[in-house]
Amino acid sequence: MVQVTLTNSFIKNIQPPKDKKYQTYSDNGLILRVTEKGKKCFYYQYRIYQKSRWFMIGEYPYMTVKQARDTVIRAKADLMLGKDPQLAKDTLKRPKQHPNTLTLAGAWDTYTKGYQQQHNRQSTIKNNQYLFNAIPDKIKNTSIHEITKSTVSRYIQSIANTPAKANHIILILRKCFTWLYENGHMENNVLDGMKNFTPPKPKRKRPLLNTELRAILNACHVLGYPYGTCTLMIACLGQRKDEIAKIRWQELDLKNGILTLTPDRQKTGGRKQINHIVPLPNNILDMLKTIPQQGEYVFSTTGGKKPLAHNAYVKNKIDTLLQDSKYWQHEPNPEPHIHQLLNGNPDKNIAHWNIHDFRDTFVTNCRNISTTQAEYALIGRITNHKQQKTQTDAYDHNDPYNKDTYTIPALQLLNKYAKWLHDLQHGNLATDTDNLNLSDYR
């Protein structure tokens, strides 16, 4: 945008741009745009409601520079009073409205006759009418000037269980109100910018059944390092997926059996700003000692240079092992438990699950092993969940990782859970694994 002093003689002598569609000139808020066809128009650019807007003033020479400057001065005065200059201009264009008695139902009929019957197919009109009829009569009988965005939002929330229908109703109302506004039936389009409805994502809690957990653990055992080993560690410790998949050797103290996660490695690190300590049970220590210490990361497919990407690819590999019974028949050393389980399951499929379900499974089963409220709080500390202070909480909130009140009892609980997983994985298939008595591990 070229900064100049706009005068009648300067504007008269401006030549149309040859290498672009238009050229703009600015003079203290007054903007002149010259198109490649030689058309010259005055504009005023301003910001309101955190948005930048362009206000077309008029075309030269039908409007002089002085008239354009006077319009800019009035527009700046409107802005200082909190008024939108463009809205004031549009209001002047529209004829005066009679006291508004047009209801939403009447406005919809007007929109149907004035727009839909000329531009939409009959099937579309029929579908739109079906959706409009679903709106309560209380809203349809309301004056369109009394309808606000919150009125529509409250109704949409009431049909949140059918999000597709809710978004279709938003769409037809938004189109209707836009047409009514553009044709002078409304002073403001209250639905302008209204976004589609996004239903709240339900909080997932899906502890794995013992038979499912047993099959997955056996599949991970066959899958081996790094994917299977990493998944086994996630299942045993109840930590978040990336917190285990991106472990560095420097975070492990194999001598004392401790994993230390710094705040930047935790989901809750920004709130707590303290290291998260995870005692390592004996089976995890034995497993880690078999992994060659090369590179920075423990689980890696690049020799420790990059961390393991524990994503849907890993889950798909596990699902493939669980579903392909022929794979087990041709294995040199097939796992009998999985082979028998697959043969006993015609669908060869496990209900929808994901890696995060290991955390819910860990919490659920550890609570069955635990006996007191204090031990319940201990489970929350192991999984690094946000904990609420209670009178029965025996742990020191000022020193949450105290050796006597956290590390030792947490290690005891983790060893109990690890032993339960081992018995579940290698137990006799004839055992009703969904009813294993966890109280035996207390």
Side-chain angles (χ1 to χ4, degrees):
M1 189 178 295
V2 183
Q3 299 290 332
V4 297
T5 300
L6 293 176
T7 62
N8 285 318
S9 59
F10 176 81
I11 297 174
K12 187 176 181 180
N13 295 323
I14 292 178
Q15 297 299 319
K18 296 180 180 180
D19 55 345
K20 48 187 175 182
K21 291 184 177 181
Y22 57 84
Q23 177 69 50
T24 54
Y25 303 87
S26 176
D27 180 9
N28 194 27
L30 177 62
I31 296 173
L32 177 70
R33 176 179 284 185
V34 183
T35 67
E36 57 185 353
K37 294 184 179 180
K39 187 176 181 179
K40 304 171 184 178
C41 295
F42 293 110
Y43 288 86
Y44 174 52
Q45 186 181 15
Y46 62 98
R47 289 187 66 84
I48 190 168
Y49 309 132
Q50 299 181 349
K51 291 184 179 180
S52 178
R53 300 195 65 178
W54 283 73
F55 171 26
M56 181 179 177
I57 299 172
E59 184 180 350
Y60 182 86
Y62 308 109
M63 174 173 278
T64 65
V65 177
K66 184 178 184 306
Q67 290 173 329
R69 290 189 193 280
D70 292 342
T71 305
V72 170
I73 292 173
R74 288 195 297 271
K76 289 182 177 180
D78 286 339
L79 280 175
M80 293 182 67
L81 297 174
K83 299 179 181 179
D84 189 341
Q86 183 67 43
L87 185 60
K89 176 186 173 184
D90 292 345
T91 304
L92 291 174
K93 287 182 178 180
R94 295 194 184 94
K96 289 283 185 179
Q97 298 291 321
H98 295 291
N100 188 23
T101 57
L102 190 63
T103 63
L104 179 59
W108 177 261
D109 292 338
T110 303
Y111 165 66
T112 300
K113 295 175 183 177
Y115 178 82
Q116 291 202 95
Q117 291 180 354
Q118 283 74 33
H119 298 86
N120 291 347
R121 292 176 295 184
Q122 287 299 317
S123 59
T124 303
I125 297 175
K126 184 177 179 181
N127 290 336
N128 291 346
Q129 187 65 45
Y130 170 79
L131 292 168
F132 183 79
N133 290 341
I135 300 175
D137 291 339
K138 182 178 179 180
I139 298 178
K140 288 191 289 189
N141 294 331
T142 303
S143 168
I144 57 173
H145 277 219
E146 296 177 4
I147 293 177
T148 63
K149 190 177 292 186
S150 61
T151 306
V152 179
S153 295
R154 284 194 298 269
Y155 168 61
I156 294 300
Q157 290 293 336
S158 68
I159 57 172
N161 58 331
T162 54
K165 179 180 178 181
N167 281 325
H168 278 101
I169 290 177
I170 291 175
L171 178 62
I172 64 170
L173 288 180
R174 202 161 49 202
K175 287 183 176 180
C176 174
F177 275 58
T178 300
W179 184 87
L180 292 171
Y181 170 73
E182 291 175 349
N183 288 272
H185 297 282
M186 300 177 67
E187 294 182 1
N188 295 305
N189 182 3
V190 295
L191 298 188
D192 183 29
M194 185 173 185
K195 297 181 180 179
N196 287 348
F197 171 70
T198 303
K201 201 170 182 179
K203 188 174 181 180
R204 179 185 175 88
K205 187 173 183 181
R206 204 299 207 176
L208 294 167
L209 298 175
N210 293 341
T211 49
E212 296 173 335
L213 181 59
R214 178 182 181 180
I216 294 171
L217 293 178
N218 280 327
C220 291
H221 179 73
V222 175
L223 194 59
Y225 179 86
Y227 299 116
T229 309
C230 178
T231 307
L232 286 171
M233 191 168 177
I234 294 171
C236 191
L237 296 181
Q239 304 302 304
R240 295 179 178 89
K241 178 180 65 176
D242 285 346
E243 292 174 351
I244 298 298
K246 297 180 181 180
I247 288 179
R248 299 178 174 88
W249 284 110
Q250 64 185 23
E251 297 172 338
L252 290 170
D253 181 358
L254 297 181
K255 182 178 179 180
N256 296 310
I258 293 293
L259 166 64
T260 304
L261 298 175
T262 53
D264 61 299
R265 288 266 287 110
Q266 308 169 40
K267 179 181 177 181
T268 56
R271 297 196 301 265
K272 295 185 177 181
Q273 288 299 318
I274 57 175
N275 292 339
H276 176 51
I277 307 298
V278 184
L280 300 176
N282 296 331
N283 66 324
I284 296 297
L285 277 175
D286 294 339
M287 182 181 70
L288 290 172
K289 290 175 181 178
T290 63
I291 301 175
Q293 296 191 22
Q294 54 180 357
E296 181 181 4
Y297 295 96
V298 177
F299 301 109
S300 174
T301 57
T302 59
K305 295 179 181 179
K306 295 181 180 179
L308 185 69
H310 201 295
N311 48 29
Y313 171 77
V314 183
K315 181 181 177 298
N316 291 338
K317 289 180 75 71
I318 296 174
D319 287 338
T320 300
L321 292 178
L322 292 173
Q323 295 172 5
D324 189 0
S325 59
K326 293 181 180 180
Y327 176 85
W328 302 108
Q329 293 173 1
H330 295 287
E331 272 294 299
N333 298 303
E335 285 288 332
H337 304 305
I338 299 184
H339 183 60
Q340 295 173 29
L341 180 63
L342 291 175
N343 289 337
N345 180 7
D347 296 331
K348 296 182 177 61
N349 188 23
I350 289 180
H352 175 65
W353 70 282
N354 60 38
I355 301 298
H356 190 78
D357 293 338
F358 285 128
R359 279 173 67 82
D360 291 329
T361 307
F362 176 87
V363 172
T364 300
N365 291 332
C366 283
R367 282 180 176 175
N368 292 331
I369 295 173
S370 304
T371 57
T372 65
Q373 182 67 30
E375 288 180 327
Y376 287 175
L378 180 64
I379 297 170
R381 294 184 184 281
I382 295 173
T383 56
N384 204 15
H385 276 147
K386 185 177 180 181
Q387 295 296 304
Q388 301 293 332
K389 294 184 180 181
T390 62
Q391 294 180 350
T392 57
D393 192 348
Y395 299 102
D396 184 359
H397 289 273
N398 296 321
D399 186 13
Y401 297 110
N402 180 277
K403 181 177 180 181
D404 295 327
T405 59
Y406 170 75
T407 307
I408 293 177
L411 180 59
Q412 292 173 350
L413 182 60
L414 285 166
N415 275 321
K416 290 178 184 178
Y417 186 65
K419 184 177 185 306
W420 179 79
L421 286 178
H422 179 272
D423 292 346
L424 177 67
Q425 183 179 354
H426 299 92
N428 191 325
L429 191 67
T431 304
D432 185 0
T433 52
D434 282 330
N435 293 303
L436 281 177
N437 189 357
L438 281 86
S439 61
D440 295 341
Y441 296 84
R442 291 176 179 171

